Amino acid sequence: MIKLTARTSERIAKVFILSIAVLIMGILIWIIGDILLNGIPHINFSFLSQMPRNMGREGGIFPTIVGTLMLTVLAILIAVPFGVGAAYYLAEYTKGGIVTRIIRFGAESLAGIPSIVYGIFGVLLFVEILGLGFSIISGALTVSIMILPTIIRTSEEALLAVPKIYRDASFSLGATKWQTIRCAVTPTAIRGIVNGVILGVGRCVAETAAVMLTMGGNVLAVPSSISSSGRTMAVHFYILAQEGVMQNAYTTAAILIILIFIINIGTNAVIDQFISKRTKGAR
């Protein structure tokens, strides 16, 4: 039996981990690159601004852009206060009792539920029982429940990562619990909290099954209100791909990816600016 030294074992582990990372990045780059290479050449102002024709096989995707933005903004406005609030409660106001364990178990359980189950739940509760119909508000309420576990867990981890000395120093200066959270904890954890929200935004933008079941996917008009039905870009891409209209499907998917990139880069730039100003102010 061959005995490996500690240094050799460490090198093998590093090579193995690096290989996995390179493989995953390669697959991701291949998928994104294929979509962008096939989709970007067909992106133009007409495609972005025109109404779809022939059930989406021709024309543009303007109504789907509006529907995607309305659904995402509404879902985030609903989910963020509850998700971040729950994270603050778990990280700052509990001592690890049974209530904390129940909340964490519930969040982890929600994270593992398939999106189609959320869609069926949304149809039964929001569309049928509450009478909201197939609408943007039904879709947003359903999707907001879907992204709650992500926001709760990432926000809680960001808050728990703040060194305890920050809290102790704030308390020693006579600050209250809320002042400590607002002035010492939140600015340090803000990047992690925002990253959790961005993950939620990405899931809102890319969700199909739950949105099709609650928001409807057959209406290709511009939504006039949150009570209107509509179609998101992800649903539009799915339907076009299913029907074999691959050029428009690739173009829609490319716009979807670019939109997610813009949201990520823009949000991180704003957070960097906020942290930079706060650091200069502290000096």
Side-chain angles (χ1 to χ4, degrees), residues 98-177:
I98 187 166
V99 175
T100 305
R101 291 197 295 271
I102 291 173
I103 295 174
R104 286 189 178 133
F105 175 77
E108 291 169 359
S109 299
L110 285 173
I113 297 175
S115 59
I116 189 69
V117 177
Y118 281 106
I120 295 171
F121 169 79
V123 170
L124 293 175
L125 179 60
F126 303 123
V127 177
E128 298 293 337
I129 296 176
L130 297 182
L132 298 175
F134 295 102
S135 60
I136 292 175
I137 184 62
S138 295
L141 287 169
T142 304
V143 174
S144 65
I145 297 174
M146 293 177 60
I147 65 176
L148 265 179
T150 302
I151 295 176
I152 292 173
R153 296 301 293 162
T154 53
S155 299
E156 184 187 1
E157 291 300 324
L159 292 169
L160 292 175
V162 177
K164 187 176 181 295
I165 193 173
Y166 286 23
R167 298 173 176 83
D168 294 339
S170 179
F171 289 140
S172 68
L173 295 173
T176 63
K177 182 74 171 179

Side-chain angles (χ1 to χ4, degrees), residues 26-43:
I27 294 173
L28 179 63
I29 292 172
W30 176 65
I31 293 172
I32 294 177
D34 180 63
I35 293 173
L36 294 180
L37 287 174
N38 286 282
I40 286 179
H42 303 286
I43 298 177

Side-chain angles (χ1 to χ4, degrees), residues 180-194:
T180 299
I181 292 173
R182 183 169 56 89
C183 301
V185 177
T186 300
T188 308
I190 188 67
R191 183 181 294 278
I193 295 172
V194 171

